Amino acid sequence: MMRNNGYYSDAGYASFEDYCEKELTKHGGYRRVRDLLSAKKVVDTLPEELREKITKPSQTRPLLRLVKTPDKLQEVVAIAAKEKPFPTAADFAKAVQLVAPTTKRSTKSENPKTQLCNSVTVSQESHPRYGDSGVIEADAPNHWQQIVTFPDGERLLVNNADLDAPSVPFPRERNYPPEYTEAIMALKEQHQQELERLQQELRIGLQSEATARAEEQVSEQIQSLQQLFKQQKEENIQLQQRLDEMEGLRKLEIENQQLQQRIQELERAVEQRPLQQWGNTMTQQATKVLNKQVKQALEKTIDLRSLAQEPPKENAQECLRLMGMALKNLASAMNNTQALEAAAIILGSEPTPSVIAYRAEQLEILPQAVSDIRRVLQLWRSLIKLRGK
């Protein structure tokens, strides 16, 4: 189809032979394709019952010259098939000699070199006749090729390098006239220099490319290391923040314990202090005197009277503090020693204006301090719960 329909021209080839030589070189080129086409021609000429006897293209070579005489071709195949179910190329060649023998043409002169060994074998694997043996019956057209005649009658011009004939000193290279030797040597030297120059340029190019690639890889590694360092730095910052938070939580926990201990002390002090003061310092007689003095003081001030009539209902300690402050103010205003002593007894301090003022200030800020501590404890408990979640 490629040959008959001219498909090779679509690839830019002028002929089918050029296409085979360029595209099918590793398969034997046009010579191999020609053998396959010839084998197909032989098989198509045979009837159906004899086609199965042909199993290789090499078997059709001795039969090719009988394609124009189909009756002789059928007779040859039939004779070869009688001796063996699947004849070989030698069997077909033998049958051809029986049906249509050929006479050997005598040569006018013989090459004395070919007289030494006229039997050769194709030793080049890429050659289509690889492994086939033949004889040299004619003079060589040149010094590097031989005309080989194979048993099937085919004559081919084979390179000396493709032949296995160690006993014959076939030249492997062409012999040039002496006047061309210097020019050939100069061309070889020029070619060698050009090859060395190209190798040097290629080496330099490869080194430059390797250097550029290495620099690119180093740059990528540096960028990755910088990114890794940045990530590590961010992780370190986050870790430090967590450590600071944990340290803050630990300090808050310590402060919480201290505050709880302080609250317990203050609560015990608030509960026990008035009882201790009254129990340790006052007797019934002192209570009567104090009540009398307080009553006299209450009669001289409006604030004390209103406080006595409507005492604070929320906290008894606040009532005592207000009474002590009122007595202290009364003592300061009237310079009354007895009122000062009464204020000291109520507030639980020494009977001096500075101590009474300090004690009153302590009692004033005590409720606020207790409230603040409880609020801090509540906040701390919320943080503990969030941390547990």
Side-chain angles (χ1 to χ4, degrees):
M1 292 177 61
M2 179 69 71
R3 181 193 62 184
N4 298 336
N5 297 331
Y7 292 154
Y8 53 84
S9 61
D10 296 340
Y13 293 99
S15 63
F16 180 67
E17 290 80 1
D18 293 341
Y19 170 80
C20 295
E21 289 296 331
K22 298 293 179 61
E23 299 293 339
L24 305 176
T25 302
K26 65 179 181 178
H27 300 291
Y30 178 68
R31 183 182 300 173
R32 179 62 173 169
V33 174
R34 183 186 60 189
D35 291 343
L36 293 174
L37 292 175
S38 300
K40 183 178 184 301
K41 187 184 298 184
V42 172
V43 173
D44 292 342
T45 307
L46 292 171
E48 291 292 337
E49 64 272 9
L50 295 179
R51 290 181 181 180
E52 62 180 8
K53 304 300 180 180
I54 307 298
T55 58
K56 296 180 182 179
S58 60
Q59 296 172 343
T60 62
R61 292 193 185 105
L63 305 176
L64 182 61
R65 65 187 182 91
L66 301 177
V67 171
K68 295 182 180 180
T69 56
D71 53 344
K72 291 184 179 181
L73 178 62
Q74 296 179 16
E75 183 180 358
V76 168
V77 175
I79 292 172
K82 287 181 180 180
E83 297 181 359
K84 293 181 181 180
F86 295 98
T88 62
D91 296 332
F92 285 121
K94 183 178 178 180
V96 169
Q97 291 296 327
L98 292 176
V99 175
T102 57
T103 58
K104 296 183 178 180
R105 291 177 297 177
S106 59
T107 57
K108 296 181 180 180
S109 61
E110 295 183 357
N111 192 342
K113 290 184 178 179
T114 60
Q115 299 282 331
L116 299 176
C117 181
N118 63 353
S119 178
V120 292
T121 303
V122 179
S123 59
Q124 184 64 29
E125 295 182 0
S126 60
H127 198 278
R129 300 301 296 258
Y130 169 69
D132 294 344
S133 298
V135 294
I136 300 174
E137 298 178 341
D139 293 336
N142 49 58
H143 297 287
W144 60 90
Q145 290 179 322
Q146 300 294 329
I147 299 175
V148 182
T149 303
F150 293 95
D152 55 6
E154 184 180 9
R155 300 179 69 188
L156 293 177
L157 189 63
V158 184
N159 295 331
N160 294 340
D162 296 340
L163 296 175
D164 182 15
S167 60
V168 180
F170 290 145
R172 301 295 178 178
E173 297 179 357
R174 296 184 180 183
N175 294 326
Y176 297 96
E179 58 269 18
Y180 295 147
T181 304
E182 295 181 359
I184 292 173
M185 294 299 296
L187 290 174
K188 287 184 177 180
E189 184 178 358
Q190 182 180 359
H191 180 65
Q192 185 66 26
Q193 292 177 357
E194 185 68 17
L195 286 178
E196 292 178 356
R197 184 183 64 81
L198 292 176
Q199 290 177 357
Q200 183 68 19
E201 292 180 356
L202 180 61
R203 191 181 300 109
I204 294 174
L206 291 176
Q207 290 178 354
S208 302
E209 184 178 358
T211 303
R213 182 59 180 170
E215 291 178 354
E216 184 179 356
Q217 291 179 353
V218 170
S219 177
E220 292 177 357
Q221 292 178 357
I222 291 175
Q223 292 179 358
S224 62
L225 289 175
Q226 289 178 351
Q227 186 176 2
L228 182 61
F229 175 75
K230 184 178 179 180
Q231 294 177 356
Q232 189 67 30
K233 186 176 180 180
E234 293 177 355
E235 291 178 359
N236 291 338
I237 293 174
Q238 295 177 359
L239 182 60
Q240 185 64 36
Q241 292 177 353
R242 293 186 62 183
L243 291 175
D244 294 341
E245 292 176 359
M246 293 178 65
E247 183 66 20
L249 291 175
R250 189 180 65 83
K251 291 182 180 180
L252 287 175
E253 186 175 359
I254 295 174
E255 292 178 358
N256 182 25
Q257 294 177 357
Q258 294 176 354
L259 290 173
Q260 287 181 350
Q261 185 177 0
R262 181 60 179 167
I263 288 174
Q264 292 176 0
E265 293 177 354
L266 291 174
E267 289 177 350
R268 287 196 298 268
V270 170
E271 292 175 357
Q272 297 177 4
R273 185 67 179 176
L275 296 176
Q276 292 176 357
Q277 291 293 336
W278 287 102
N280 295 333
T281 59
M282 296 187 64
T283 59
Q284 292 182 356
Q285 188 65 28
T287 301
K288 292 181 179 180
V289 173
L290 177 60
N291 290 337
K292 184 177 180 181
Q293 294 175 354
V294 170
K295 185 177 180 181
Q296 292 176 356
L298 289 173
E299 292 177 353
K300 297 179 180 180
T301 176
I302 298 174
D303 294 337
L304 290 178
R305 288 175 181 177
S306 61
L307 186 63
Q309 293 176 358
E310 296 181 3
K313 298 178 181 180
E314 295 181 357
N315 195 344
Q317 295 180 1
E318 182 67 13
C319 178
L320 292 175
R321 186 182 70 81
L322 293 175
M323 290 178 63
M325 291 295 296
L327 290 172
K328 182 255 181 187
N329 294 334
L330 181 61
S332 298
M334 302 179 63
N335 196 15
N336 191 335
T337 305
Q338 293 179 350
L340 188 62
E341 291 179 354
I345 293 172
I346 292 174
L347 296 176
S349 62
E350 296 181 359
T352 59
S354 60
V355 176
I356 291 174
Y358 180 71
R359 179 61 178 170
E361 184 178 358
Q362 286 183 340
L363 294 175
E364 183 178 1
I365 66 175
L366 181 60
Q368 184 65 30
V370 173
S371 177
D372 293 340
I373 291 172
R374 289 177 177 173
R375 186 170 63 256
V376 170
L377 289 176
Q378 184 66 26
L379 178 61
W380 171 248
R381 292 189 183 95
S382 300
L383 288 175
I384 294 298
K385 292 181 180 179
L386 291 176
R387 183 183 177 187
K389 293 181 180 179

